[in-house]
Amino acid sequence: MAVTTFIPELWSARLLNALDNAHVAVNLVNRDYEGEIKKKGDTVHINTIGAVTVKDFTRNTDIAAPDALSTTDQTLTISQSKYFNFQLDDADAAQAAGDIMDKAMQRSAYALNDAADKYLLGVLADGADPANVVGATAAVALTKENIYENIVKLRTLLDKQNVPTAGRTLVIPPEAYALILQDERFTGNGGAKAEEAARNGFVGKIAGFEIYESNNCKSTTASSTTTYVITAQVRTACTYAEQIVNVEAYRPEKRFADAVKGLHLYGAKVTDGKQIAALKCTF
């Protein structure tokens, strides 16, 4: 690619498409309020309808007057702004095979995705309802013997909040994934889950959750001990919005090179913390 053949809309679309293919956490939440984002600090107002009261019906008796619906206003703020800026020297471009700039754009998308997923998993971890947190006082030391029972605890917390069972997901760090793979209930000979795990590295469903592995689970380190936050959620718990607002190709003044820079804006909002359960743990 050269500056003369650069079409901003095309390359912005390529970058967003590559981002969608790379996202993990972003694909586990909804994007219902994603509109036109022009700058960092833009906001979207979300109106949430309150509960509807169900009443007893008595035959041959007038029903009560209709209840007035109540709404709660929540704000999704585009709080994150990240950019990339790279160049390709003309001499390198002349000697290289293939479209290097296209591959560089893909790598840029994966780098942007890594930052976005880390941010979103932090939002999910912080947004869980306090009553839905296991290990809030003291982190749970997970082992291959107790990891399943703690996943069941997360399921129970969501059940008690009447969270729909369809579409429940769980995001775990590699250390937790390794413990699950040592549990013979999922890796024993002849099991469908074992074949699935061995074939493509995906654990499958456990206790009604689809399990996703990520290096970006929220973590904090103190006194050489790292505490991770595993989150269980449904898509309606959190909303996310992103936009590639600007991608430009240019010729650096002091270089014989093509360069590309781009700006990625995004933000997330937990709209219902009761639909998230969290497990604070160590390994």
Side-chain angles (χ1 to χ4, degrees):
M1 185 200 77
V3 172
T4 55
T5 62
F6 181 88
I7 303 174
E9 293 79 7
L10 176 62
W11 283 81
S12 294
R14 284 189 185 185
L15 191 59
L16 273 174
N17 183 61
L19 269 173
D20 285 339
N21 291 335
H23 281 322
V24 175
V26 171
N27 290 326
L28 307 183
V29 300
N30 72 78
R31 300 166 79 161
D32 296 343
Y33 305 96
E34 189 171 56
E36 184 178 359
I37 302 168
K38 296 181 179 179
K39 62 184 184 300
K40 180 181 178 182
D42 281 357
T43 59
V44 177
H45 291 277
I46 304 169
N47 282 318
T48 304
I49 298 177
V52 176
T53 303
V54 176
K55 303 170 184 177
D56 293 327
F57 171 74
T58 303
R59 187 178 179 183
N60 295 323
T61 302
D62 294 340
I63 64 174
D67 298 324
L69 289 176
S70 60
T71 60
T72 302
D73 180 58
Q74 300 187 69
T75 302
L76 165 61
T77 302
I78 306 305
S79 60
Q80 305 297 304
S81 55
K82 307 292 183 182
Y83 76 92
F84 65 87
N85 184 18
F86 63 83
Q87 68 175 25
L88 175 63
D89 189 273
D90 289 350
D92 292 333
Q95 298 177 38
D99 192 342
I100 295 180
M101 295 296 275
D102 196 22
K103 291 182 174 62
M105 290 293 286
Q106 293 178 23
R107 295 296 297 269
S108 298
Y110 276 89
L112 292 175
N113 157 75
D114 193 57
D117 268 13
K118 186 174 183 179
Y119 158 77
L120 183 53
L121 287 175
V123 170
L124 288 170
D126 295 338
D129 189 272
N132 285 3
V133 180
V134 177
T137 304
V140 178
L142 288 184
T143 65
K144 65 179 181 179
E145 286 78 20
N146 70 8
I147 188 168
Y148 180 72
E149 66 184 66
N150 279 285
I151 292 175
V152 171
K153 287 180 181 179
L154 295 179
R155 176 193 172 95
T156 303
L157 289 171
L158 294 182
D159 288 344
K160 292 175 69 175
Q161 298 286 10
N162 293 318
V163 176
T165 57
R168 290 185 180 183
T169 57
L170 191 73
V171 185
I172 62 176
E175 292 85 351
Y177 179 71
L179 294 179
I180 290 174
L181 291 179
Q182 296 177 63
D183 191 326
E184 291 187 356
R185 285 171 292 187
F186 307 105
T187 60
N189 291 332
K193 292 184 178 66
E195 294 175 4
E196 192 172 23
R199 184 175 64 253
N200 54 27
F202 176 64
V203 178
K205 285 190 174 182
I206 297 177
F209 293 110
E210 289 186 357
I211 309 297
Y212 292 86
E213 179 191 12
S214 175
N215 282 314
N216 291 324
C217 289
K218 183 178 180 181
S219 63
T220 54
T221 301
S223 301
S224 301
T225 299
T226 301
T227 300
Y228 296 87
V229 182
I230 291 173
T231 60
Q233 57 278 308
V234 291
R235 290 176 61 88
T236 51
C238 180
T239 190
Y240 173 84
E242 71 175 344
Q243 189 60 264
I244 302 296
V245 296
N246 200 6
V247 179
E248 297 179 4
Y250 64 101
R251 296 283 293 181
E253 181 182 358
K254 297 182 179 182
R255 295 292 179 94
F256 294 103
D258 282 337
V260 179
K261 58 184 177 180
L263 180 62
H264 183 210
L265 302 183
Y266 54 95
K269 173 72 176 180
V270 171
T271 54
D272 189 354
K274 293 182 179 179
Q275 296 186 14
I276 305 171
L279 168 62
K280 294 184 177 181
C281 58
T282 60
F283 299 96

